[in-house]
Amino acid sequence: MKVHVDGIEVELPAGTSAIDAVFSAGGDVPYFCAHKYLSPLGACRMCLVESGSPRKNPDGSFVMEGEGDAATPKIFWFPKPMASCTMQATEGMHIRTAKTSEVVAKAQAGMMEFTLLNHPLDCPTCDKGGACELQDRAFEYGYGASRFGFDRRHAEKHYPLSDFVILDQERCIHCKRCVRYFEEVPGQEVLDFIERGGHTFIDTEEGGLPTGFSGNITDICPVGALLDNVARFRGRNWEYDHTPTTCTLCPVGCSITVDARNGRLERIVAGENRDVNEAWICDAGRFGHPFASEERLTTPLVRNEDGALIPATWDEAITAINRGLLGLPLADLGLFVGADATLEEGAALAALADALNARHVDHFPRHSVFIAPTATLTDVATADAVVVLGADLGEEAPVLELRILEMLRGGLLPAEFAHGTAIADLRLVERPARRPERLAVIGGESRLWGHAGHRVSANGENALTRLAHPDTDDLKAVRALLDGAERPVLILGADALRGASGSAAALLADLASRTGAKVIAIPAGPNSNGLAALNLVPRTGGLGVDRLGEVPAAFISRLDPGMRAGGFTVVHDTHLTATAQLADVVLPAVTNYEKRGTVQNLEGRLLPLNPAAIQSGEAADLIRTLTALAEALGVKAPARGQRGAQTLLMGSVGVNTATVQVGGALHTFARTFVAPAAPHTPKLWTERMRSRDRDWVERIHDLVEGGWTLPVAPAAPQPGGDD
Amino acid sequence: MSYFAEKQPLVADIFSRYPDSPQGRRSALMPLLREVQDAEGFVSESRMAEIAALCGTTATEVRSVISFYSTYHTLPTGKYHLQVCSTLMCALAGSDELWDHLVETLDVQPGEVSADGRFSVQKVECLGSCGTAPMMQINDDGYYENVGPSKCARILQSLRQDLQPLPDNPVPVTVGADGRQVLATGQAIGSSVTGLHRLPEQAGGEA
Amino acid sequence: MTATAPTPPKPITSAKDPRFAPTLYAHVGQAESWTLPYYRRNGGYEPVKRAFAMGPDAVIEEVKKSGLRGRGGAGFATGLKWSFMPLKDGKPHYIICNADESEPGSFKDRYLLSEDPHQLIEGMIIAGYAMRASVGYIYIRGEYVHAAERMWAAIHEAREAGLLGQNILGSGFDFQLYVHRGAGAYICGEETALMNSLEGLRANPRLKPPFPAAAGLYGLPTTINNVETFCAATQILRYGADWHAGMGTEKSKGMKLFQISGPVARPGVYELPLGTTFRELIYDWAGGPLEEMKAIIPGGSSCPMLPWTDSILDTPMDYESVAAAGSMLGTGGVTLIPKADCIVNATWNLVRFYGHESCGKCTPCREGISSWMTRMYQKLVTGRGQPGDVQLILDMSDNIGGRSFCALADACLGPVLSSIKHFREEYDALAGTQQPLYPARKRWKDA
């Protein structure tokens, strides 16, 4: 259909909202209540436009105006401006924005005056200043002055809704984004308006917002009413260096922006990736970052004669390693790495292992089987049945849970335009009807459990077998759901994959082909899928990281098993972990926020990491650290830097990660390496995310201990760390 | 202590009015609130939580709904909660003076309860009794209409003795047997109502 | 065959017309009028039999033919509204009676509910039958305790008598009816807010489209009508569409319950044909004003007030004529404002009402009305007015009018703009000298 915006004709698909028509035509209207991934509301009344449409005569011809050839269809204008976010554009519609309409310009200026009526204008002390939608729009569309000669509304200015989110009720402009977000996205009715009319404010009666996905409201709040309490008063928006990158806390790989100031990581906000996390991230990903700028190792440490670890230069550390490994057959050196290392780092490590002919090579955590993903996150969101087996998504892949909930409310993904995701997709509605009967959860209780229409308590480890051969009515119902669905997706979690073998993979393949289900097996670590393509598992005669104590000597990168190798032990980590404290030489590492590289998420999407401006002294990523290790061992370094590692990767697995774009790209590796693995229980919040110097983060400690709201299965102490 | 645990038939009756679906369950929210408030005079936080569980929602949502509507209370009111209509039609009949009189003689401000626990007052908006203004409502019991000074005094005197008069339901204008609109006293009104027509035969008679 | 058609009888536009007799209100105030035996003795539940005999589509045609328009205020053609329901989609349908009578100056429905509940029940059965709805809800405003009790009692009586439930009167039609009490919110009179309230939510109005006939209560096709509309449907099925169409004017047909309040001899509810003049209501029926008047609110507080002039008094009370005079017929709730009362104070009372009742969803209403307009009026009436205040009120009104999510903000502007238009000098006095032209006076007295 053709729509005319301020005289510019644009061709748009039917169903487009007027606000998206305006933006498609390169125009602009201010808006506060509309949000890309939430239902259009029409509450803030800022996006007013004048609009009119042609009408048809009873004979089907257009009512015309003008004479002869100059005649054009007469446009019947609405008598008053309309909210463009809740109005559907129609064929031949004409729209005037403030650019061409005095009426609209005045209406918007007047509305801005109302919006600012009770707003405190404490911008100089507001964390939102400089990145505030209200501030920006007030400059663009406001009168520049208020005629409201009365005292403004006074309300609570420092009201913590949880340890992570703080509310300033005076600043709230009642756009309802946060309330709609909780109801529509994580499906939690935990925040709502209280009172009515001019007295309306938002509050929770739940004793605090639940940890999980609460931080997203700080992103979508168009003013400084809801703020990230972790980043509170840490910097002004124009002072931050913004680095778009990928979160590697779990295998979802959400798009994030890391905000650093003066070399400190102060804040993480969600980035948009329509294919992965839309615009949402989990609370761990958002708030679990203070460790990155606290108590970092900034120089190598070498153990002296007195047995104390003392700061040293890299050269001294290389010398110490050289000395410590003297006489050790190179093939006896264990090489172990955390599963959030990048593909490039993995390629460098694999190449060094090859060069040393090392046997004891491993990454952690990983499963004993590799099940290639056949479903994407978009497939999950648009499925008509999802069966979750033995997964605790809140710990393993939180945003996957959001995509499943999206499926429950109909899997309506907002349309995409040249100007980006639709600002107001009119198919999204408030309080959407949900289809719990489309979701089955088999395993233990979890947050998702409450949303599922089919719930089967099962020991995760035999869940797959039981689903393949259903032995109860409940399981038969789940099978019927799978069999009857057109686009089913099976999701397997750690409980289902723990100890799984090749026969399980065969069983799954059979079940998938019988039911037509696509599959996502949640990888054990953030980049386990990618690292599985590299020969980073114990080789013939080699030991895994679970048997570290038996390995004669080891280089351990960003793993914290809490023990040392049998002999000389080199630890490469960001902090002085328990393991590092036992090491002979400690090399400072960078966090994934500081890396350039590539990871592969649970759906097989290659996603880029970009380095944020965080001070970490002489810390180095694994590639450069391996160069130092190679020097100490007297062998040729596998790669001298990122470029070299990319070349290695190209050579070993045939993928050019230099070309991976921001949104990422799906990729299937031709070959994967598997080996038996030690059991592992995934945990999202880890000890290392605990902040040392701020008391609010005491609560994170509770999360780590499993004491607060996150359901964490009691688990025996496991070797290895994870982050 | 649960309010509804012992009242399963009542709860079942309320739920039976609405569809057997999550949305239908939520519809029972207002009737359940009304039950609690009529019994206890207000809705406490524990009752909010209980009702939330019954309706499949959260205490946040229940509080949100309670606070939206003006007749629910989250704090105890007096034994007699006097709600005085203050909107224009009653104001034209002196409701402001009625209000001032109540506040003064009962020595109670909105939001307070009188010292003897008997009275609380609330200004409310149009209660749909404009033909019999001024008026007030007591608790959830009913209307007291045409509340002039002497009637007000009689009501307060009775309430002080805990003898609540029955609510009135006067119908100011009715229709007499002859089809004329008359006053409640039977007095015919309208200047030319002679020879009123008989209504046509009921069409149903032919069917 | 005759050569010329008989001249159609002149429509009835006065209750003094000997052909007119009250029907909606005929039994209000009679002893036991709310009971089923009384109702049946007076011809009750015969109209529904006629409806069943006609078939549902014919019922809709009959209502269309009668010219009945919604009596809740908007005056939308009832038969047309009923025909918007997707009649053959096989989904459950709902009908809702809007008995949330909250518009200041309106009090007709309360008497219909409490004094003649079966008339409403019958109208809803008829409407449910026509619209293939098997469940109906009567949303009664929370404060109408007595009305809700009478309504429930009548529903139980009707159920016992087989008039509600399965296979009503052997027609094969199933219909259940329930009362749902509100809890004090004017906005619930807005149909989509009412549906939210019925669903146990905050009563914020919903987006339209989708319209209730497509996706209403619980997302299913729903039609909402006023109490009087359903009752009128009962009478139309009793006396026929032609009878109904024989009253009123060309576009406003039938009878209407008019309410009159303020200082008149006999305030109350009067059933009159549409097209009856204000003068007839005020002088002939209500016995005339008790003191000198200056303004008439013609149809509930949101309808712009009109000056007390002969031409207004001689205006027929029908949708078109009142609109032509610059206001709206609304609910037919007429209020008279005496000359000796300050119009700014009277308007302040209503502005405060709308400010109190704003749901807070949209900015112009929450901030413009609830926060700002109320304080502008408070400022004026408390003697703190300044020159320019009236101009500011007008400009704010311009920024509010037509910009809000629902009609509540516009409803507030009805009395604001009309009072400024007709009584500007009273505003100017308060803004200029801080003194009202008509100071407060004592009004509370025994009846």
Side-chain angles (χ1 to χ4, degrees), chain B residues 17-18 27 71 88 97 140 147 150 175 181 197 203, chain C residues 18 30 137 180-181 183 198 218 238 271 349 446:
Chain B
R17 302 170 196 167
Y18 308 102
S27 281
T71 63
L88 181 62
E97 292 154 68
D140 190 30
V147 184
S150 44
V175 178
Q181 303 192 34
H197 179 62
Chain C
Q30 304 304 319
Y137 292 100
H180 185 97
R181 285 182 65 192
L198 190 38
Y218 309 120
R238 185 193 306 273
E271 180 175 347
N349 184 296
D446 285 319

PDB file of all heavy atoms in Angstrom, chain B residues 17-18 27 71 88 97 140 147 150 175 181 197 203, chain C residues 18 30 137 180-181 183 198 218 238 271 349 446:
ATOM      1  N   ARG B  17     -19.689 -17.868  38.029  1.00  0.00           N
ATOM      2  CA  ARG B  17     -20.265 -16.818  37.177  1.00  0.00           C
ATOM      3  C   ARG B  17     -19.396 -16.506  35.967  1.00  0.00           C
ATOM      4  O   ARG B  17     -19.833 -15.829  35.048  1.00  0.00           O
ATOM      5  CB  ARG B  17     -20.430 -15.524  37.984  1.00  0.00           C
ATOM      6  CG  ARG B  17     -21.294 -15.684  39.212  1.00  0.00           C
ATOM      7  CD  ARG B  17     -21.196 -14.420  40.069  1.00  0.00           C
ATOM      8  NE  ARG B  17     -21.698 -14.687  41.411  1.00  0.00           N
ATOM      9  CZ  ARG B  17     -21.522 -13.866  42.447  1.00  0.00           C
ATOM     10  NH1 ARG B  17     -20.869 -12.724  42.277  1.00  0.00           N
ATOM     11  NH2 ARG B  17     -21.995 -14.179  43.624  1.00  0.00           N
ATOM     12  N   TYR B  18     -18.154 -16.951  36.012  1.00  0.00           N
ATOM     13  CA  TYR B  18     -17.204 -16.550  34.985  1.00  0.00           C
ATOM     14  C   TYR B  18     -16.650 -17.773  34.279  1.00  0.00           C
ATOM     15  O   TYR B  18     -16.733 -18.880  34.818  1.00  0.00           O
ATOM     16  CB  TYR B  18     -16.073 -15.725  35.619  1.00  0.00           C
ATOM     17  CG  TYR B  18     -16.625 -14.583  36.452  1.00  0.00           C
ATOM     18  CD1 TYR B  18     -16.684 -14.657  37.835  1.00  0.00           C
ATOM     19  CD2 TYR B  18     -17.153 -13.454  35.820  1.00  0.00           C
ATOM     20  CE1 TYR B  18     -17.237 -13.635  38.588  1.00  0.00           C
ATOM     21  CE2 TYR B  18     -17.706 -12.426  36.563  1.00  0.00           C
ATOM     22  CZ  TYR B  18     -17.753 -12.510  37.950  1.00  0.00           C
ATOM     23  OH  TYR B  18     -18.299 -11.498  38.685  1.00  0.00           O
ATOM     24  N   SER B  27     -11.625 -12.704  36.910  1.00  0.00           N
ATOM     25  CA  SER B  27     -12.848 -11.908  37.049  1.00  0.00           C
ATOM     26  C   SER B  27     -13.424 -11.964  38.451  1.00  0.00           C
ATOM     27  O   SER B  27     -14.194 -11.093  38.846  1.00  0.00           O
ATOM     28  CB  SER B  27     -13.917 -12.387  36.065  1.00  0.00           C
ATOM     29  OG  SER B  27     -13.670 -11.890  34.783  1.00  0.00           O
ATOM     30  N   THR B  71     -14.120   2.552  46.400  1.00  0.00           N
ATOM     31  CA  THR B  71     -14.876   2.026  47.540  1.00  0.00           C
ATOM     32  C   THR B  71     -14.153   0.936  48.315  1.00  0.00           C
ATOM     33  O   THR B  71     -14.685   0.418  49.275  1.00  0.00           O
ATOM     34  CB  THR B  71     -16.257   1.479  47.111  1.00  0.00           C
ATOM     35  OG1 THR B  71     -16.044   0.378  46.222  1.00  0.00           O
ATOM     36  CG2 THR B  71     -17.075   2.541  46.422  1.00  0.00           C
ATOM     37  N   LEU B  88     -21.800  18.132  41.873  1.00  0.00           N
ATOM     38  CA  LEU B  88     -22.576  19.349  41.654  1.00  0.00           C
ATOM     39  C   LEU B  88     -24.045  19.262  42.065  1.00  0.00           C
ATOM     40  O   LEU B  88     -24.553  20.153  42.738  1.00  0.00           O
ATOM     41  CB  LEU B  88     -22.467  19.748  40.174  1.00  0.00           C
ATOM     42  CG  LEU B  88     -23.217  21.023  39.791  1.00  0.00           C
ATOM     43  CD1 LEU B  88     -22.667  22.220  40.538  1.00  0.00           C
ATOM     44  CD2 LEU B  88     -23.115  21.252  38.281  1.00  0.00           C
ATOM     45  N   GLU B  97     -22.299  21.868  52.907  1.00  0.00           N
ATOM     46  CA  GLU B  97     -22.642  22.183  54.299  1.00  0.00           C
ATOM     47  C   GLU B  97     -22.885  20.912  55.097  1.00  0.00           C
ATOM     48  O   GLU B  97     -22.496  20.817  56.264  1.00  0.00           O
ATOM     49  CB  GLU B  97     -23.889  23.084  54.350  1.00  0.00           C
ATOM     50  CG  GLU B  97     -23.606  24.477  53.787  1.00  0.00           C
ATOM     51  CD  GLU B  97     -24.871  25.133  53.238  1.00  0.00           C
ATOM     52  OE1 GLU B  97     -25.760  25.449  54.043  1.00  0.00           O
ATOM     53  OE2 GLU B  97     -24.966  25.295  52.007  1.00  0.00           O
ATOM     54  N   ASP B 140     -21.544  -0.352  53.023  1.00  0.00           N
ATOM     55  CA  ASP B 140     -21.985  -0.885  51.745  1.00  0.00           C
ATOM     56  C   ASP B 140     -23.469  -1.226  51.885  1.00  0.00           C
ATOM     57  O   ASP B 140     -23.969  -2.165  51.277  1.00  0.00           O
ATOM     58  CB  ASP B 140     -21.151  -2.138  51.421  1.00  0.00           C
ATOM     59  CG  ASP B 140     -21.363  -2.626  49.995  1.00  0.00           C
ATOM     60  OD1 ASP B 140     -21.645  -1.777  49.125  1.00  0.00           O
ATOM     61  OD2 ASP B 140     -21.256  -3.848  49.757  1.00  0.00           O
ATOM     62  N   VAL B 147     -31.092  14.171  52.648  1.00  0.00           N
ATOM     63  CA  VAL B 147     -30.573  14.339  54.012  1.00  0.00           C
ATOM     64  C   VAL B 147     -30.470  15.827  54.353  1.00  0.00           C
ATOM     65  O   VAL B 147     -29.431  16.446  54.165  1.00  0.00           O
ATOM     66  CB  VAL B 147     -29.202  13.644  54.179  1.00  0.00           C
ATOM     67  CG1 VAL B 147     -28.742  13.749  55.631  1.00  0.00           C
ATOM     68  CG2 VAL B 147     -29.285  12.194  53.768  1.00  0.00           C
ATOM     69  N   SER B 150     -32.354  18.215  59.703  1.00  0.00           N
ATOM     70  CA  SER B 150     -33.006  17.458  60.764  1.00  0.00           C
ATOM     71  C   SER B 150     -32.886  15.956  60.526  1.00  0.00           C
ATOM     72  O   SER B 150     -32.721  15.180  61.466  1.00  0.00           O
ATOM     73  CB  SER B 150     -34.468  17.887  60.930  1.00  0.00           C
ATOM     74  OG  SER B 150     -35.076  18.026  59.681  1.00  0.00           O
ATOM     75  N   VAL B 175     -45.607   6.156  38.374  1.00  0.00           N
ATOM     76  CA  VAL B 175     -46.685   6.203  37.396  1.00  0.00           C
ATOM     77  C   VAL B 175     -47.905   5.557  38.029  1.00  0.00           C
ATOM     78  O   VAL B 175     -47.840   4.427  38.527  1.00  0.00           O
ATOM     79  CB  VAL B 175     -46.283   5.453  36.117  1.00  0.00           C
ATOM     80  CG1 VAL B 175     -47.427   5.467  35.123  1.00  0.00           C
ATOM     81  CG2 VAL B 175     -45.040   6.086  35.511  1.00  0.00           C
ATOM     82  N   GLN B 181     -47.906   9.972  35.403  1.00  0.00           N
ATOM     83  CA  GLN B 181     -46.733  10.078  36.274  1.00  0.00           C
ATOM     84  C   GLN B 181     -47.146  10.931  37.462  1.00  0.00           C
ATOM     85  O   GLN B 181     -47.667  12.026  37.300  1.00  0.00           O
ATOM     86  CB  GLN B 181     -45.561  10.683  35.511  1.00  0.00           C
ATOM     87  CG  GLN B 181     -45.247   9.832  34.267  1.00  0.00           C
ATOM     88  CD  GLN B 181     -43.935  10.158  33.586  1.00  0.00           C
ATOM     89  OE1 GLN B 181     -42.974  10.512  34.213  1.00  0.00           O
ATOM     90  NE2 GLN B 181     -43.918   9.978  32.277  1.00  0.00           N
ATOM     91  N   HIS B 197     -54.020   8.033  26.571  1.00  0.00           N
ATOM     92  CA  HIS B 197     -54.320   6.979  25.617  1.00  0.00           C
ATOM     93  C   HIS B 197     -54.047   5.619  26.247  1.00  0.00           C
ATOM     94  O   HIS B 197     -53.162   5.465  27.057  1.00  0.00           O
ATOM     95  CB  HIS B 197     -53.398   7.201  24.404  1.00  0.00           C
ATOM     96  CG  HIS B 197     -53.555   6.200  23.337  1.00  0.00           C
ATOM     97  ND1 HIS B 197     -54.737   6.035  22.664  1.00  0.00           N
ATOM     98  CD2 HIS B 197     -52.669   5.315  22.830  1.00  0.00           C
ATOM     99  CE1 HIS B 197     -54.563   5.077  21.757  1.00  0.00           C
ATOM    100  NE2 HIS B 197     -53.315   4.637  21.846  1.00  0.00           N
ATOM    101  N   ALA B 203     -48.264  -6.607  21.132  1.00  0.00           N
ATOM    102  CA  ALA B 203     -48.047  -7.261  19.850  1.00  0.00           C
ATOM    103  C   ALA B 203     -47.938  -8.764  20.039  1.00  0.00           C
ATOM    104  O   ALA B 203     -48.310  -9.540  19.173  1.00  0.00           O
ATOM    105  CB  ALA B 203     -46.770  -6.735  19.212  1.00  0.00           C
TER     106      ALA B 203
ATOM    107  N   PRO C  18     -52.107  12.988  24.115  1.00  0.00           N
ATOM    108  CA  PRO C  18     -52.919  11.938  24.737  1.00  0.00           C
ATOM    109  C   PRO C  18     -52.566  10.541  24.252  1.00  0.00           C
ATOM    110  O   PRO C  18     -52.924   9.564  24.895  1.00  0.00           O
ATOM    111  CB  PRO C  18     -54.341  12.313  24.347  1.00  0.00           C
ATOM    112  CG  PRO C  18     -54.226  13.306  23.258  1.00  0.00           C
ATOM    113  CD  PRO C  18     -52.910  13.991  23.401  1.00  0.00           C
ATOM    114  N   GLN C  30     -44.260   0.990  42.217  1.00  0.00           N
ATOM    115  CA  GLN C  30     -45.448   0.249  42.639  1.00  0.00           C
ATOM    116  C   GLN C  30     -45.036  -0.828  43.638  1.00  0.00           C
ATOM    117  O   GLN C  30     -43.914  -1.347  43.599  1.00  0.00           O
ATOM    118  CB  GLN C  30     -46.119  -0.414  41.425  1.00  0.00           C
ATOM    119  CG  GLN C  30     -46.479   0.548  40.311  1.00  0.00           C
ATOM    120  CD  GLN C  30     -47.378   1.675  40.789  1.00  0.00           C
ATOM    121  OE1 GLN C  30     -48.300   1.461  41.579  1.00  0.00           O
ATOM    122  NE2 GLN C  30     -47.111   2.894  40.326  1.00  0.00           N
ATOM    123  N   TYR C 137     -23.812 -10.247  31.440  1.00  0.00           N
ATOM    124  CA  TYR C 137     -23.434  -9.690  32.733  1.00  0.00           C
ATOM    125  C   TYR C 137     -24.088  -8.324  32.889  1.00  0.00           C
ATOM    126  O   TYR C 137     -24.176  -7.564  31.928  1.00  0.00           O
ATOM    127  CB  TYR C 137     -21.915  -9.517  32.839  1.00  0.00           C
ATOM    128  CG  TYR C 137     -21.171 -10.836  32.877  1.00  0.00           C
ATOM    129  CD1 TYR C 137     -20.563 -11.341  31.736  1.00  0.00           C
ATOM    130  CD2 TYR C 137     -21.099 -11.566  34.052  1.00  0.00           C
ATOM    131  CE1 TYR C 137     -19.892 -12.552  31.762  1.00  0.00           C
ATOM    132  CE2 TYR C 137     -20.427 -12.782  34.094  1.00  0.00           C
ATOM    133  CZ  TYR C 137     -19.827 -13.270  32.952  1.00  0.00           C
ATOM    134  OH  TYR C 137     -19.169 -14.465  32.983  1.00  0.00           O
ATOM    135  N   HIS C 180     -22.456  -8.250  38.149  1.00  0.00           N
ATOM    136  CA  HIS C 180     -21.073  -7.985  38.567  1.00  0.00           C
ATOM    137  C   HIS C 180     -21.060  -6.570  39.118  1.00  0.00           C
ATOM    138  O   HIS C 180     -21.386  -5.627  38.417  1.00  0.00           O
ATOM    139  CB  HIS C 180     -20.126  -8.113  37.374  1.00  0.00           C
ATOM    140  CG  HIS C 180     -18.675  -7.977  37.745  1.00  0.00           C
ATOM    141  ND1 HIS C 180     -17.862  -9.053  37.964  1.00  0.00           N
ATOM    142  CD2 HIS C 180     -17.912  -6.873  37.962  1.00  0.00           C
ATOM    143  CE1 HIS C 180     -16.654  -8.632  38.287  1.00  0.00           C
ATOM    144  NE2 HIS C 180     -16.649  -7.310  38.294  1.00  0.00           N
ATOM    145  N   ARG C 181     -20.685  -6.464  40.388  1.00  0.00           N
ATOM    146  CA  ARG C 181     -20.685  -5.127  41.006  1.00  0.00           C
ATOM    147  C   ARG C 181     -19.365  -4.419  40.787  1.00  0.00           C
ATOM    148  O   ARG C 181     -18.302  -4.997  40.967  1.00  0.00           O
ATOM    149  CB  ARG C 181     -20.954  -5.242  42.505  1.00  0.00           C
ATOM    150  CG  ARG C 181     -22.409  -5.531  42.837  1.00  0.00           C
ATOM    151  CD  ARG C 181     -22.611  -5.588  44.343  1.00  0.00           C
ATOM    152  NE  ARG C 181     -22.354  -4.287  44.964  1.00  0.00           N
ATOM    153  CZ  ARG C 181     -22.235  -4.122  46.275  1.00  0.00           C
ATOM    154  NH1 ARG C 181     -22.330  -5.150  47.081  1.00  0.00           N
ATOM    155  NH2 ARG C 181     -22.020  -2.923  46.770  1.00  0.00           N
ATOM    156  N   ALA C 183     -16.921  -0.929  41.766  1.00  0.00           N
ATOM    157  CA  ALA C 183     -16.410  -0.562  43.085  1.00  0.00           C
ATOM    158  C   ALA C 183     -16.080   0.921  43.179  1.00  0.00           C
ATOM    159  O   ALA C 183     -15.293   1.320  44.015  1.00  0.00           O
ATOM    160  CB  ALA C 183     -15.190  -1.403  43.418  1.00  0.00           C
ATOM    161  N   LEU C 198     -14.586  -5.846  34.516  1.00  0.00           N
ATOM    162  CA  LEU C 198     -15.254  -7.143  34.631  1.00  0.00           C
ATOM    163  C   LEU C 198     -14.238  -8.285  34.610  1.00  0.00           C
ATOM    164  O   LEU C 198     -14.451  -9.338  35.197  1.00  0.00           O
ATOM    165  CB  LEU C 198     -16.267  -7.264  33.480  1.00  0.00           C
ATOM    166  CG  LEU C 198     -17.293  -8.381  33.411  1.00  0.00           C
ATOM    167  CD1 LEU C 198     -17.848  -8.743  34.762  1.00  0.00           C
ATOM    168  CD2 LEU C 198     -18.404  -7.990  32.474  1.00  0.00           C
ATOM    169  N   TYR C 218     -13.172 -11.060  27.466  1.00  0.00           N
ATOM    170  CA  TYR C 218     -12.349 -12.265  27.289  1.00  0.00           C
ATOM    171  C   TYR C 218     -11.944 -12.464  25.821  1.00  0.00           C
ATOM    172  O   TYR C 218     -11.778 -13.589  25.351  1.00  0.00           O
ATOM    173  CB  TYR C 218     -13.080 -13.517  27.794  1.00  0.00           C
ATOM    174  CG  TYR C 218     -13.625 -13.385  29.196  1.00  0.00           C
ATOM    175  CD1 TYR C 218     -14.989 -13.511  29.461  1.00  0.00           C
ATOM    176  CD2 TYR C 218     -12.776 -13.103  30.255  1.00  0.00           C
ATOM    177  CE1 TYR C 218     -15.482 -13.367  30.751  1.00  0.00           C
ATOM    178  CE2 TYR C 218     -13.263 -12.961  31.551  1.00  0.00           C
ATOM    179  CZ  TYR C 218     -14.619 -13.090  31.784  1.00  0.00           C
ATOM    180  OH  TYR C 218     -15.105 -12.946  33.065  1.00  0.00           O
ATOM    181  N   ARG C 238     -42.705  -5.747  22.905  1.00  0.00           N
ATOM    182  CA  ARG C 238     -44.065  -5.838  23.421  1.00  0.00           C
ATOM    183  C   ARG C 238     -45.049  -5.112  22.494  1.00  0.00           C
ATOM    184  O   ARG C 238     -46.060  -5.662  22.093  1.00  0.00           O
ATOM    185  CB  ARG C 238     -44.145  -5.219  24.822  1.00  0.00           C
ATOM    186  CG  ARG C 238     -45.505  -5.390  25.478  1.00  0.00           C
ATOM    187  CD  ARG C 238     -45.660  -4.488  26.716  1.00  0.00           C
ATOM    188  NE  ARG C 238     -44.593  -4.654  27.688  1.00  0.00           N
ATOM    189  CZ  ARG C 238     -44.604  -5.580  28.664  1.00  0.00           C
ATOM    190  NH1 ARG C 238     -45.621  -6.395  28.795  1.00  0.00           N
ATOM    191  NH2 ARG C 238     -43.593  -5.647  29.496  1.00  0.00           N
ATOM    192  N   GLU C 271     -40.600   9.914  32.142  1.00  0.00           N
ATOM    193  CA  GLU C 271     -40.537   9.267  30.843  1.00  0.00           C
ATOM    194  C   GLU C 271     -41.312  10.118  29.853  1.00  0.00           C
ATOM    195  O   GLU C 271     -42.511  10.355  30.029  1.00  0.00           O
ATOM    196  CB  GLU C 271     -41.133   7.856  30.912  1.00  0.00           C
ATOM    197  CG  GLU C 271     -41.074   7.153  29.579  1.00  0.00           C
ATOM    198  CD  GLU C 271     -41.545   5.717  29.663  1.00  0.00           C
ATOM    199  OE1 GLU C 271     -41.691   5.191  30.784  1.00  0.00           O
ATOM    200  OE2 GLU C 271     -41.785   5.120  28.598  1.00  0.00           O
ATOM    201  N   ASN C 349     -16.542  22.217  40.698  1.00  0.00           N
ATOM    202  CA  ASN C 349     -17.027  20.971  41.280  1.00  0.00           C
ATOM    203  C   ASN C 349     -16.939  19.838  40.256  1.00  0.00           C
ATOM    204  O   ASN C 349     -16.489  18.738  40.567  1.00  0.00           O
ATOM    205  CB  ASN C 349     -18.481  21.183  41.735  1.00  0.00           C
ATOM    206  CG  ASN C 349     -19.031  19.971  42.450  1.00  0.00           C
ATOM    207  OD1 ASN C 349     -19.155  18.905  41.854  1.00  0.00           O
ATOM    208  ND2 ASN C 349     -19.365  20.114  43.725  1.00  0.00           N
ATOM    209  N   ASP C 446     -33.999  21.528  55.140  1.00  0.00           N
ATOM    210  CA  ASP C 446     -34.881  20.364  55.160  1.00  0.00           C
ATOM    211  C   ASP C 446     -35.823  20.423  53.969  1.00  0.00           C
ATOM    212  O   ASP C 446     -36.246  21.492  53.552  1.00  0.00           O
ATOM    213  CB  ASP C 446     -35.677  20.336  56.468  1.00  0.00           C
ATOM    214  CG  ASP C 446     -34.801  19.895  57.620  1.00  0.00           C
ATOM    215  OD1 ASP C 446     -34.001  18.964  57.395  1.00  0.00           O
ATOM    216  OD2 ASP C 446     -34.885  20.476  58.716  1.00  0.00           O
TER     217      ASP C 446
END
